[in-house]
Each structure stands twice: as structure tokens, then as C-alpha cells.
């Protein structure tokens, strides 16, 4: 079963994504609401892919994106901002606009 890490600081969005991915047959890792939590999960249980909310309140998830790239793990960015406003670590990653369309999200995951 493919393990997908969810990094999202808004609890309702994290819960929604977790439920939808579980129903679609993915194993959800997390969700993590901060970089620290996400990095612990990556280093601990690991993941096969990730969904990263770019803006985690007082920090961005750029350090998580960098760690995932170092490990060769694919990820998509979840954001309300334009692609041109994303940190460099998100370059070439799929950008999913919030509110996330589940059909689009599942299409991205299936294409990995």
C-alpha cells in the first residue's frame, strides 16, 4: 500500500485529505502540522509520496520538500498562492490549488 505523508497545519483540511486518501486505498502518514513533525515521520516510518501545504503558518514546508528531494520521494504542493510565489524547493512539483479537488489530487498521485 502506497504511503502518503500529509503535511497540513489546518486540522479540518488534514482530516479531509486523510479520509479521502484512505478511501482511495492509500496509507496515510501523519498528518503533520509542522516541519518538525514531518521530518520525524520521514526519518521514522518514511513515505512513498507526500502532500505539502506550502504555508504552515509561521514557516513554510520548504525544508520538508528539500528532505524529500534528497531521498527521491515525489511530492505535490498544496497552496492558495500562484506557482511563481512558491519557494525554490517546490520547483517542478505539481501544484494543487486550495481548496483541493480530490479528483485532481488522485490523478497526480496515480501519475507518480
Amino acid at each position: 500500500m502506497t504511503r502518503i505523508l500529509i503535511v497540513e497545519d489546518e486540522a479540518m483540511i488534514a482530516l479531509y485529505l486523510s479520509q479521502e486518501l484512505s478511501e482511495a486505498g492509500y496509507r496515510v502518514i501523519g498528518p503533520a502540522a509542522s516541519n518538525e513533525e514531518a521530518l520525524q515521520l520521514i526519518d521514522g516510518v518514511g513515505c512513498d509520496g507526500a502532500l505539502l501545504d506550502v504555508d504552515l503558518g509561521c514557516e513554510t514546508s520548504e525544508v520538508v520538500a528539500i528532505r524529500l528531494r534528497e531521498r527521491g520521494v515525489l511530492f505535490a504542493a498544496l497552496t492558495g498562492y500562484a506557482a511563481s510565489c512558491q519557494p525554490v524547493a517546490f520547483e517542478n512539483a505539481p501544484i494543487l490549488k486550495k481548496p483541493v479537488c480530490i479528483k485532481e489530487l488522485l490523478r497526480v498521485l496515480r501519475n507518480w
Side-chain angles (χ1 to χ4, degrees):
M1 182 178 291
T2 304
R3 301 166 302 157
I4 303 295
L5 171 65
I6 297 175
V7 181
E8 171 61 64
D9 64 328
E10 294 184 40
M12 293 304 291
I13 294 173
L15 178 62
Y16 172 69
L17 292 172
S18 296
Q19 289 175 334
E20 292 292 331
L21 290 179
S22 292
E23 288 176 14
Y26 293 93
R27 179 173 170 222
V28 174
I29 306 299
S34 69
N35 286 326
E36 182 179 348
E37 289 177 50
L39 294 172
Q40 287 176 354
L41 289 169
I42 292 167
D43 293 341
V45 296
C47 62
D48 302 308
L51 302 174
L52 307 180
D53 179 7
V54 176
D55 183 2
L56 297 174
C58 58
E59 61 186 350
T60 71
S61 59
E62 187 171 18
V63 297
V64 177
I66 291 168
R67 178 74 55 87
L68 292 169
R69 281 196 189 277
E70 290 171 350
R71 293 182 178 214
V73 176
L74 298 173
F75 61 88
L78 307 176
T79 184
Y81 300 104
S84 61
C85 298
Q86 305 310 318
V88 175
F90 290 90
E91 189 176 331
N92 299 321
I95 305 288
L96 297 166
K97 292 296 223 172
K98 286 184 173 182
V100 176
C101 171
I102 293 302
K103 286 183 182 181
E104 179 67 14
L105 169 61
L106 293 176
R107 185 190 63 75
V108 166
L109 294 178
R110 288 184 190 117
N111 286 331
W112 282 348

